[in-house]
Amino acid sequence: MFDEFLPGQTLGLVENQSNWYLKAFSYGGQRPWPALGRGFNTGVMLMHLQRLRVRGFANSWLTVAKRVLAYIPKTSLADQDVINAVVNEQPGIVYRIECTWNIQLSDRTMSDACYRDANHINILHWNSPRKQEVRNKHVNEFRKLHRLFLEMDGNLLRRRLFGCDRHESAPPYNESSPCREFEKGAGILYRTHPFLLEYDYSVYSPVDVALVTQCSVERIPLLEALSRHWPGTISIAIYLTDAEVQNFLDFVRGSADLRARRNIAYHVVYKDGELYPINYLRNTAMSYVSAPFIFQLDIDFLPQFGLHESIMGYVNKLGVNESDKVALIVPAFETERYRFDFPADKEELLKFLKRGILYTFRYHVWTQGHAATNYSVWRSSSEPYEVSWEPDFEPYIVVSKSAPRYDTRFIGFGWNKVSYVTHLTALGYKYIVLPDTFIIHRPHAPSLDIGKFRTDSVYRRCLKRLKDEFVRELMEKYGEAALSKLKRETKREREIERTR
């Protein structure tokens, strides 16, 4: 269509398919902005950028907008009002696009005069706040088309677009390598849609803490209980197919706990590859946080009630700044019961531990993951205490939002969080345990990736190779002294391997 533009034309637009801009037909007593005839709808717009720059459009639209705002103090249709005001003064800039390229389905639309049947439509535009609830003689057919579109695999569309490949810089991988799933997954450029739903962060505090988490479609129901336990900001990256996105939206809108929340930021990462990209998801959730501190938590945990306020109190009490290399540890526990009364405080939690309702997290299968938290000290402590890092330590921590990101080479199950804490240690972070705080892990079916880890020796060897590569890189960058304990542990592992 750009080839059809006349020399002075810079914008391609379809005429508005309602009488909104005709003053005699204006709706609800609202005062429409000036427009040429019925005006133009900006839902579909061609912009000849070079010509717009030459004409100084960046200044001209601002000048026109200020002039109109002097007697109409606000817009009703945002940028569309401004564009129409400019076109009203400069009608020669518009190239009129044929109407089927923007069939507008508002409540007062006259779009059905544009086409004889639905097969002649190029683009459907649900431009009413009521979306698919509007009246139209073909509305049922349009809804079916919309559902079909939602179920398309966007990754297929992405690969078919000419020219996209040259913009992607994913590293090559060896198809014959036994570790090709790791190598391929680490290089995928995932389609990512931040802020899927409306998000509002309006309460800022220098000690505020946002909870960041991630999940796949199977764990989405866990979000409801998490939201009840954490009233503060939540940033969550969700790993979904295109078709699953609509189901997720339906879930949120049908949830009494979630639909009214505006301080939960949902970011969709579209499925691609064989293994769950857990660290890419974590980084995505961390990247869209406004609060100065972040609490990194997996979605299968529940924080104690009041933990948000408690952590903020400790950040303030300890004088932790955004630039400090400090990680605050919230001790982790678990239960094997699907139903139990959540402990109201530390005193009640200690009783649950004594009765065998709760356990320290993974004490029976992965002791080293949380042993450095020093639970024996935590039981009787009333003040924060510092602990030393040990190899394989992976506590749940609060850090500044400027903290390093996770290494995205770690996908699937195994060492994805250990690698992060190891990196923090190499950077000189210190670890402080908060004495009267806790989180509790909820039981659930194991993921597919943990099944691979448990049953596939090749998977474990590939993970071990990646771990060794990661440790070697850290030691080369920060020096062996920064991770002397890890060096000894790695040496011991190699000796064990040689004796097998």
Side-chain angles (χ1 to χ4, degrees):
M1 290 187 193
F2 283 111
D3 293 337
E4 300 174 9
F5 276 34
L6 296 176
Q9 293 174 334
T10 57
L11 299 175
L13 294 164
V14 172
E15 187 179 42
N16 201 42
Q17 292 165 1
S18 77
N19 287 321
W20 171 267
Y21 286 106
L22 298 178
K23 294 182 180 179
F25 296 95
S26 59
Y27 313 124
Q30 298 188 61
R31 189 176 180 185
W33 275 46
L36 191 65
R38 283 201 176 93
F40 296 89
N41 184 278
T42 58
V44 176
M45 180 163 53
L46 297 179
M47 305 179 75
H48 197 303
L49 298 180
Q50 183 179 8
R51 291 182 183 178
L52 287 169
R53 294 188 188 103
V54 171
R55 292 180 65 98
F57 185 75
N59 292 322
S60 65
W61 77 259
L62 189 58
T63 301
V64 172
K66 288 180 178 178
R67 186 159 54 245
V68 177
L69 285 168
Y71 61 93
I72 303 179
K74 64 179 181 179
T75 65
S76 297
L77 300 177
D79 64 291
Q80 181 170 302
D81 285 342
V82 177
I83 294 292
N84 273 286
V86 173
V87 171
N88 186 57
E89 295 189 8
Q90 306 171 37
I93 68 173
V94 174
Y95 169 80
R96 290 176 179 262
I97 301 175
E98 199 268 324
C99 64
T100 59
W101 288 98
N102 185 357
I103 296 296
Q104 301 149 41
L105 300 176
S106 62
D107 283 321
R108 297 177 175 87
T109 185
M110 298 179 290
S111 60
D112 54 2
C114 172
Y115 59 93
R116 293 181 179 178
D117 61 67
N119 292 326
H120 292 106
I121 294 173
N122 291 305
I123 295 178
L124 280 172
H125 180 190
W126 305 90
N127 64 320
S128 165
R130 298 198 313 121
K131 300 303 178 185
Q132 296 183 38
E133 300 303 317
V134 298
R135 296 181 297 274
N136 184 281
K137 62 184 178 182
H138 294 120
V139 69
N140 289 330
E141 187 174 350
F142 292 161
R143 287 171 183 162
K144 290 177 183 177
L145 287 172
H146 183 243
R147 174 62 66 175
L148 180 64
F149 174 78
L150 292 175
E151 293 177 355
M152 288 182 178
D153 184 351
N155 291 324
L156 295 177
L157 296 174
R158 184 189 198 191
R159 284 193 282 270
R160 289 176 182 174
L161 290 175
F162 290 105
C164 282
D165 290 344
R166 66 172 177 267
H167 298 296
E168 299 183 358
S169 56
Y173 64 94
N174 184 357
E175 280 285 1
S176 62
S177 169
C179 301
R180 59 186 174 276
E181 286 186 1
F182 280 89
E183 295 167 3
K184 180 181 178 181
I188 292 175
L189 301 173
Y190 294 94
R191 288 187 299 131
T192 303
H193 183 169
F195 300 109
L196 180 69
L197 291 171
E198 180 185 351
Y199 170 72
D200 178 35
Y201 180 78
S202 56
V203 180
Y204 180 83
S205 164
V207 296
D208 197 13
V209 182
L211 188 152
V212 297
T213 189
Q214 37 67 41
C215 73
S216 58
V217 66
E218 296 83 6
R219 306 280 165 84
I220 286 174
L222 299 178
L223 182 58
E224 287 188 300
L226 178 64
S227 71
R228 292 194 293 270
H229 281 245
W230 186 272
T233 296
I234 298 174
S235 180
I236 176 170
I238 312 167
Y239 195 49
L240 302 173
T241 65
D242 293 75
E244 288 167 347
V245 171
Q246 189 60 42
N247 294 331
F248 169 71
L249 290 172
D250 293 341
F251 174 79
V252 172
R253 290 163 181 159
S255 168
D257 294 311
L258 301 177
R259 62 173 174 255
R261 292 280 295 266
R262 295 293 177 267
N263 64 342
I264 301 179
Y266 302 101
H267 318 295
V268 174
V269 175
Y270 289 94
K271 285 186 179 179
D272 197 355
E274 299 298 322
L275 299 174
Y276 184 68
I278 185 166
N279 282 355
Y280 181 90
L281 293 164
R282 284 170 170 155
N283 288 347
T284 299
M286 291 170 66
S287 297
Y288 297 104
V289 166
S290 301
F293 296 93
I294 54 178
F295 178 32
Q296 303 173 7
L297 191 67
D298 291 336
I299 200 166
D300 46 10
F301 278 86
L302 280 179
Q304 70 182 108
F305 287 107
L307 183 60
H308 179 228
E309 293 79 7
S310 182
I311 292 175
M312 289 194 295
Y314 278 115
V315 170
N316 185 54
K317 178 180 179 179
L318 296 170
V320 181
N321 297 312
E322 288 187 61
S323 59
D324 292 340
K325 293 182 178 180
V326 174
L328 305 178
I329 296 174
V330 178
F333 300 85
E334 67 177 317
T335 181
E336 295 176 350
R337 302 186 182 190
Y338 284 87
R339 291 185 178 182
F340 73 104
D341 293 326
F342 199 90
D345 50 31
K346 179 177 179 177
E347 181 181 0
E348 191 169 7
L349 181 137
L350 291 174
K351 293 178 181 177
F352 284 15
L353 283 172
K354 189 174 182 180
R355 292 164 54 190
I357 298 174
L358 295 176
Y359 310 91
T360 55
F361 186 56
R362 293 292 185 260
Y363 81 99
H364 56 304
V365 294
W366 183 242
T367 306
Q368 61 269 46
H370 294 265
T373 300
N374 202 336
Y375 287 96
S376 60
V377 172
W378 181 85
R379 288 170 183 262
S380 58
S381 178
S382 59
E383 293 294 329
Y385 59 94
E386 187 172 347
V387 295
S388 298
W389 171 82
E390 294 289 341
D392 294 323
F393 193 30
E394 54 173 355
Y396 290 92
I397 56 177
V398 178
V399 293
S400 164
K401 72 173 181 180
S402 61
R405 297 301 185 250
Y406 284 78
D407 191 315
T408 56
R409 290 175 295 179
F410 289 93
I411 57 178
F413 178 83
W415 240 67
N416 48 73
K417 189 147 63 72
V418 174
S419 61
Y420 182 74
V421 176
T422 304
H423 185 196
L424 296 185
T425 303
L427 289 169
Y429 272 69
K430 65 178 181 179
Y431 302 97
I432 298 176
V433 181
L434 304 183
D436 54 358
T437 65
F438 58 86
I439 53 176
I440 298 176
H441 180 263
R442 295 174 278 180
H444 56 75
S447 66
L448 294 176
D449 290 344
I450 195 172
K452 289 183 179 180
F453 176 83
R454 290 171 175 171
T455 61
D456 189 342
S457 60
V458 174
Y459 183 103
R460 293 194 296 273
R461 285 200 299 271
C462 292
L463 179 60
K464 177 65 166 58
R465 188 176 77 175
L466 177 57
K467 170 188 171 182
D468 291 344
E469 179 183 341
F470 174 81
V471 171
R472 184 171 61 253
E473 290 172 357
L474 281 187
M475 289 184 175
E476 289 174 355
K477 185 172 183 178
Y478 300 106
E480 294 183 357
L483 295 167
S484 56
K485 291 180 181 178
L486 189 59
K487 180 184 177 183
R488 292 196 299 271
E489 182 72 13
T490 303
K491 182 179 179 181
R492 187 178 70 84
E493 288 179 354
R494 288 172 180 166
E495 290 173 350
I496 293 173
E497 286 289 330
R498 283 197 294 268
T499 60
R500 287 180 177 175

